[in-house]
Amino acid sequence: MENETSNSAAFENYAIAENGDVGSYGTNHDDGATDVDTQCGYGDCKPACLQKCHNTKTALVVLSIFAIIQGFVVNGINNSNTTSMERRFGFSSLEVSFISASYDISAGLFVIPIGYYGRLGHKPRWLATACLIMGVGSCVMFLPHFITGPYEFSQDAGNLCSGNSTLCSTRTDIPGGMYLHLAILVTGQFLHGIGGTTLYTLGIIWLDDNVKLHQLPLYVGIMEGCSALGPAIGFVLGGLFLDFYVDFDIIDTNKLTLANTDPRWVGAWWIGFMLSGILAILCSLVVYCFGWEMPEAAENRKGRISQVHNDGSEKLAMKPGFGMTLKDLPKCTWLLLKNPTFMLLNLAGITAMLLVMAYATFMPKFVQNQFQQTASWSALLTGFVAIPGIAGGQLMGGIIPAKMKLKVRGMIILSVVSFAICLLPMPVFFARCSPTSSAGINAFYGNSTIPLPEGNVNLTAPCNSGCDCSTKTREPICGADGVEYFSGCYAGCGGISYTGTGDAQTKNFTNCACIAQNVARKVASTRAEQGRCPTNCDYLIPFLLLMFIISFAMILPLTPLVTVTLRVVPENLRGYALAVQWVFMRFFGSFPGPIIFGLVLDSSCIVWQDRCGERGSCWYYDSFRMGWTVFAFSIATGIASLIFMALAVYAYKPPPGEQDGVMIESSSQSKKTGMEIGDDAQTFDNDMKDTDFVNNSEKGDDSSVKGEDNMVFSSTSL
């Protein structure tokens, strides 16, 4: 009984502070007193000059920087390095997808305790700790570079018809091989998940605690718009870093014979993780100095309206002490799960995140394969599209609801229209460069004018049958016959010569038996040059323009739907509602998204790397099959998300009084008597009892709630 009284008292202090009757939330000291904490600083050091910066605008700037760093490392640097990490450690698309997926596993595991307990604690301190953990995760992710020896790629002899190309080596050069590297990278991304889930639950609730009701979409839009800048910056800088050789810090790159256009090239993937680790640790120090709430918070909370879905659950949620202890967790969960608008938004979010995370992880790889670009340039191009598209969508998703003062139904309709626009340009995924004639892949050896039937890929021919070639490494060459060969070995070449000097030096392959037998081309030379044969491609620019439209329209609904989530649930369950939503979206959307998409891409692979009998990464993809499968995946998930959003419009029931919201009454203005509110709570408790969440003894207590007690918490509308 004593514990229940204590919890109730604590809740009332919290509620009164939210109601605006007290200027701030309370901070419980060792002596049990509750003081106002609206100052920033470190411990007892709170200089007056710092207080000038202690406001919602500064908080928005700091959270936006946090979001930029999080997006930079998780969805920018990590994804721009996909191809390089595959090549460096011998990962397949499926294996590298587990690195991205570990972020979502972490978010799903930690979001419930963070959302449930963090909403009651010192939110800036929680956020600072999460930012620090994210910095540590970045430091973990660049460790494989420093615990591994120099990258080794096959030399010239391995790509000649010399009979010695089958010498085997392990996938990596440290004990544990590829799986140790994979475990380290997964661990780092797992730590990133703790930082991200805290930012997008408690960070948004912290803003909502301090700003005016109609301002939240704009604040969230700016913050998440900046979070979209993070991946874009990550792709751009990641692309630049990939132009540096992976081991530039330990070898003399002037003596390097490998060009960055060579498929064997691996760029300095680790620099971005080092940079993000430093920035995240510095950002955590800044976040830590903020006080519990801003000085203007109490004033900003006056005059809010309630837009909670009208199913009676709000009455139980307003009981003093409800949601303060672990025993209330099942009840809180059931309140959310029985809210149809909330659940339909979750389903829409799941299908949308399947698509968003798939694009974020593998779009550079799609561009590289379909339009024959280098890994670094593909990452840069993806970044150029992401900067205006994703950031613009996030910002407009905040500006439009704020300027139009949209309520719940209006914001969902806005999201439906935007996502419908997103689906219209989806056929762009069929765009691709015309593939060059590649011997044994899409054309016959010796007669390259005849296309090879689909499914009949065979790199071995009489002209190279005695060369003992392997797909362990790929070094494409362009023969004098205009045909591309997998390597000098598969072209039956017996020698190498060089022309030019310095950076203009060109490697040539000579005495190539497969070129000599190309009767269709009647070539006079048997020479070949290193590199892929040139191809005409006029579709890259249109593809990027349409991807901008897709990105803009797909991301715009994010901010309105986050705001709607906060509005349709009971106000004291905001943080927990975001946490539950994250569980759904991460475990069923973000987590399987890259894995499913990795399998989709792997299904279009036609030539795999051979690591001594063990399958490595993919060397060649069927570009038509890749375009078709990506289109099918995109249109299926996009339509499903659109349907769930549309259903949410019809499922939402606004509170009585206005179409989409009513002014929240104070205790003196309440038109309901304590008996009426108690009856509402009684009705809901009977509902809860039927689902085994409430026992008979709790039923009686619920009906005794008085009107004034229930209205204490109500002025913190979402």
Side-chain angles (χ1 to χ4, degrees), residues 102-370:
S102 63
Y103 175 89
D104 301 296
I105 294 174
S106 172
L109 291 175
F110 287 98
V111 71
I112 292 296
I114 288 174
Y116 191 73
Y117 290 107
R119 66 193 171 96
L120 305 175
H122 196 300
K123 297 180 185 68
R125 303 262 174 93
W126 280 72
L127 289 164
T129 303
C131 192
L132 178 63
I133 293 173
M134 190 175 74
V136 173
S138 294
C139 294
V140 170
M141 290 199 75
F142 67 70
L143 279 181
H145 172 71
F146 292 99
I147 65 174
T148 307
Y151 168 56
E152 296 181 1
F153 55 91
S154 67
Q155 302 301 316
D156 296 340
N159 284 325
L160 290 177
C161 184
S162 56
N164 66 348
S165 62
T166 58
L167 296 176
C168 287
S169 60
T170 57
R171 295 177 88 173
T172 58
D173 50 0
I174 62 172
M178 179 273 296
Y179 297 107
L180 178 58
H181 288 125
L182 186 61
I184 293 173
L185 294 170
V186 164
T187 300
Q189 193 76 326
F190 189 88
L191 295 175
H192 285 157
I194 298 176
T197 192
T198 308
L199 172 64
Y200 291 109
T201 52
L202 298 187
I204 292 175
I205 298 303
W206 186 38
L207 288 176
D208 198 28
D209 286 341
N210 290 279
V211 303
K212 294 179 180 179
L213 180 71
H214 69 276
Q215 290 179 326
L216 182 65
L218 179 60
Y219 274 66
V220 174
I222 293 173
M223 187 189 88
E224 294 194 343
C226 290
S227 76
L229 285 176
I233 296 171
F235 278 120
V236 173
L237 289 184
L240 295 176
F241 295 152
L242 292 178
D243 277 334
F244 294 95
Y245 185 65
V246 62
D247 295 318
F248 78 91
D249 58 323
I250 56 177
I251 69 169
D252 183 2
T253 56
N254 292 324
K255 299 179 181 179
L256 191 66
T257 60
L258 197 66
N260 64 356
T261 55
D262 194 300
R264 297 171 297 170
W265 174 272
V266 173
W269 58 272
W270 51 273
I271 299 179
F273 292 118
M274 180 179 289
L275 178 61
S276 65
I278 295 171
L279 294 176
I281 292 171
L282 293 176
C283 182
S284 69
L285 298 176
V286 178
V287 177
Y288 187 84
C289 78
F290 280 92
W292 191 298
E293 73 168 15
M294 305 304 165
E296 69 269 31
E299 183 66 25
N300 286 342
R301 284 195 296 269
K302 292 181 178 179
R304 291 193 169 196
I305 64 172
S306 172
Q307 301 174 66
V308 179
H309 179 77
N310 187 22
D311 62 356
S313 60
E314 187 178 18
K315 302 304 181 290
L316 178 62
M318 289 190 306
K319 287 176 55 181
F322 181 79
M324 298 288 288
T325 61
L326 186 61
K327 72 176 184 178
D328 288 331
L329 184 61
K331 294 182 186 179
C332 294
T333 304
W334 179 243
L335 286 178
L336 299 177
L337 295 181
K338 72 182 294 290
N339 186 321
T341 309
F342 175 72
M343 290 304 298
L344 285 168
L345 292 179
N346 289 339
L347 293 173
I350 288 171
T351 48
M353 288 304 291
L354 282 170
L355 194 58
V356 171
M357 292 307 299
Y359 286 176
T361 304
F362 289 109
M363 191 50 61
K365 186 171 186 174
F366 182 87
V367 172
Q368 180 182 356
N369 180 77
Q370 300 297 84

Side-chain angles (χ1 to χ4, degrees), residues 85-93 95-96 99 171 178-179 181-182 185 609 616-618:
M85 290 191 291
E86 284 183 2
R87 193 72 64 238
R88 177 66 180 91
F89 302 115
F91 299 145
S92 67
S93 294
E95 289 164 344
V96 80
I99 300 174
R171 295 177 88 173
M178 179 273 296
Y179 297 107
H181 288 125
L182 186 61
L185 294 170
Q609 182 183 36
S617 56
C618 184

Side-chain angles (χ1 to χ4, degrees), residues 603-671:
S603 70
S604 62
C605 182
I606 54 179
V607 179
W608 289 93
Q609 182 183 36
D610 181 12
R611 293 270 191 172
C612 304
E614 186 181 356
R615 195 177 79 174
S617 56
C618 184
W619 285 126
Y620 272 101
Y621 292 93
D622 184 319
S623 58
F624 176 77
R625 192 187 306 172
M626 177 180 283
W628 171 254
T629 53
V630 169
F631 168 77
F633 178 86
S634 302
I635 205 72
T637 53
I639 290 176
S641 188
L642 187 64
I643 291 173
F644 290 131
M645 290 182 194
L647 290 175
V649 175
Y650 293 99
Y652 174 64
K653 293 169 56 180
E658 289 187 11
Q659 180 64 23
D660 274 337
V662 295
M663 291 297 297
I664 295 182
E665 300 172 333
S666 66
S667 57
S668 60
Q669 296 170 322
S670 177
K671 296 179 181 180

Side-chain angles (χ1 to χ4, degrees), residues 471-666:
T471 60
K472 181 179 64 175
T473 184
R474 175 192 172 201
E475 185 180 7
I477 63 172
C478 187
D481 56 353
V483 178
E484 184 175 301
Y485 296 86
F486 187 88
S487 66
C489 181
Y490 279 105
C493 302
I496 292 176
S497 64
Y498 294 89
T499 58
T501 58
D503 294 337
Q505 189 179 67
T506 301
K507 183 164 73 170
N508 301 291
F509 291 78
T510 59
N511 301 323
C512 302
C514 296
I515 298 176
Q517 74 166 20
N518 195 336
V519 295
R521 301 300 178 97
K522 297 180 180 179
V523 294
S525 172
T526 61
R527 297 171 63 87
E529 288 187 359
Q530 182 185 31
R532 304 197 65 179
C533 292
T535 182
N536 295 324
C537 187
D538 300 324
Y539 299 112
L540 179 58
I541 298 302
F543 173 81
L544 294 176
L545 291 176
L546 289 175
M547 278 306 301
F548 161 76
I549 296 175
I550 292 174
S551 301
F552 183 93
M554 182 169 56
I555 296 298
L556 188 147
L558 180 59
T559 299
L561 293 182
V562 169
T563 307
V564 169
T565 298
L566 296 177
R567 299 292 172 252
V568 300
V569 300
E571 49 270 9
N572 61 323
L573 296 181
R574 293 168 301 161
Y576 185 55
L578 288 181
V580 171
Q581 189 174 73
W582 263 62
V583 170
F584 281 107
M585 292 176 64
R586 296 296 161 177
F587 277 153
F588 302 105
S590 300
F591 169 61
I595 295 176
I596 295 172
F597 205 70
L599 289 172
V600 167
L601 295 185
D602 282 349
S603 70
S604 62
C605 182
I606 54 179
V607 179
W608 289 93
Q609 182 183 36
D610 181 12
R611 293 270 191 172
C612 304
E614 186 181 356
R615 195 177 79 174
S617 56
C618 184
W619 285 126
Y620 272 101
Y621 292 93
D622 184 319
S623 58
F624 176 77
R625 192 187 306 172
M626 177 180 283
W628 171 254
T629 53
V630 169
F631 168 77
F633 178 86
S634 302
I635 205 72
T637 53
I639 290 176
S641 188
L642 187 64
I643 291 173
F644 290 131
M645 290 182 194
L647 290 175
V649 175
Y650 293 99
Y652 174 64
K653 293 169 56 180
E658 289 187 11
Q659 180 64 23
D660 274 337
V662 295
M663 291 297 297
I664 295 182
E665 300 172 333
S666 66

